Amino acid sequence: MAEVHVMDHPLIQHKINFIRRKEVGSKDFRSIVGEIAALMCYEATRDLKLQDVEIETPICKMVGKELSGKKLAVVPILRAGLGMVDGMLNMIPAAKVGHIGLYRDPETFKPVEYYCKLPADCDEREVFVVDPMLATGGSSSAAITMLKEKGVKHIRFMCILAAPEGVARMQKDHPDVDLYIGALDECLNEHAYIVPGLGDAGDRIFGTK
Ligand code: PRP
Ligand code: URA
């Protein structure tokens, strides 16, 4: 069964609480989403493998540690996932970036696919799928299915807010995918929005409402 990591870092909790406020405008919302993504990236990469590497400092030779193992990729689910990409790349600048375009049909809440462009070697990479919101889980589950169909075997999912319904859906559909969650909220409302949530993440990041 997948591991579910709910972030307990005080900076992450403080920043999430800030962007929940309805009066926060797009400029601040967007930049703090980026900061949260960077902090979450730090937590979600704790178990990456290291190898010993011999280097020479200006003083002497030494054996230090560097990342080994699989190369990394970040795959945002469009649109709102875009808001997390720069924060991730600040921490893991060598990662390649793929894009999956999905929107949630407002009547059925089912995801509709409209774009998919991934690094050619993404099946050899450790892929971090990012989306600020895990509500019903339909979008993230569909995005991960698309990645698996392209042969990707090592996937982690990161979101800023999750509803228990979305976590359950991901655990059922993708028990092999570890979840990194900024804050776990109470439930979904009748429009399948997260409660208490922060509203529509894409609209708040891009100022479209
Ligand atoms: C939002 C959000 C997720 C999805 C979550 O995207 O960014 O992708 O809804 O809901 P789910 O778990 O029920 O699928 P939205 O469809 O609003 O598109 P956008 O990012 O373009 O605003
Ligand atoms: N998508 C969002 O942007 N917010 C929600 O609360 C649910 C889905």
Side-chain angles (χ1 to χ4, degrees):
M1 179 59 85
E3 289 175 17
V4 179
H5 304 264
V6 181
M7 303 290 115
D8 60 1
H9 197 293
L11 288 177
I12 296 176
Q13 292 182 41
H14 179 87
K15 287 171 192 291
I16 290 176
N17 200 55
F18 185 84
I19 60 169
R20 286 182 189 275
R21 294 165 201 259
K22 61 182 182 184
E23 65 273 18
V24 172
S26 283
K27 182 168 160 288
D28 287 339
F29 190 92
R30 191 165 48 232
S31 75
I32 295 167
V33 163
E35 291 170 16
I36 294 167
L39 291 165
M40 289 187 64
C41 181
Y42 177 81
E43 296 284 357
T45 50
R46 268 185 185 282
D47 62 342
L48 291 185
K49 296 205 171 22
L50 292 169
Q51 64 186 0
D52 289 343
V53 180
E54 191 176 302
I55 59 162
E56 195 166 353
T57 76
I59 310 297
C60 65
K61 288 190 174 173
M62 66 167 279
V63 177
K65 304 273 186 201
E66 286 184 359
L67 287 176
S68 66
K70 293 201 180 313
K71 292 185 178 154
L72 308 177
V74 179
V75 175
I77 302 177
L78 307 181
R79 277 177 313 167
L82 286 175
M84 297 175 73
V85 174
D86 286 351
M88 295 289 293
L89 293 180
N90 284 342
M91 297 294 114
I92 47 172
K96 290 199 172 165
V97 182
H99 295 88
I100 291 179
L102 292 173
Y103 71 87
R104 208 169 69 147
D105 183 292
E107 305 293 325
T108 64
F109 312 133
K110 296 256 161 33
V112 182
E113 178 189 335
Y114 61 90
Y115 190 74
C116 182
K117 182 78 179 173
L118 300 170
D121 60 353
C122 72
D123 56 331
E124 294 160 20
R125 288 178 180 260
E126 174 97 38
V127 175
F128 291 77
V129 178
V130 297
D131 190 325
M133 309 302 273
L134 175 63
T136 66
S139 304
S140 45
S141 177
I144 288 165
T145 299
M146 288 163 72
L147 287 171
K148 288 181 174 174
E149 284 169 0
K150 305 269 184 195
V152 182
K153 287 170 211 69
H154 302 277
I155 304 172
R156 303 174 191 215
F157 178 76
M158 281 178 52
C159 63
I160 294 178
L161 291 190
E165 294 88 332
V167 174
R169 170 82 185 266
M170 289 286 277
Q171 287 183 310
K172 175 170 157 286
D173 293 357
H174 301 292
D176 54 320
V177 174
D178 288 348
L179 306 180
Y180 296 87
I181 296 169
L184 184 57
D185 274 12
E186 285 165 23
C187 59
L188 297 175
N189 69 12
E190 66 276 23
H191 305 293
Y193 272 79
I194 298 174
V195 179
L198 52 71
D200 188 304
D203 283 343
R204 295 197 66 187
I205 290 169
F206 295 109
T208 42
K209 220 173 224 172

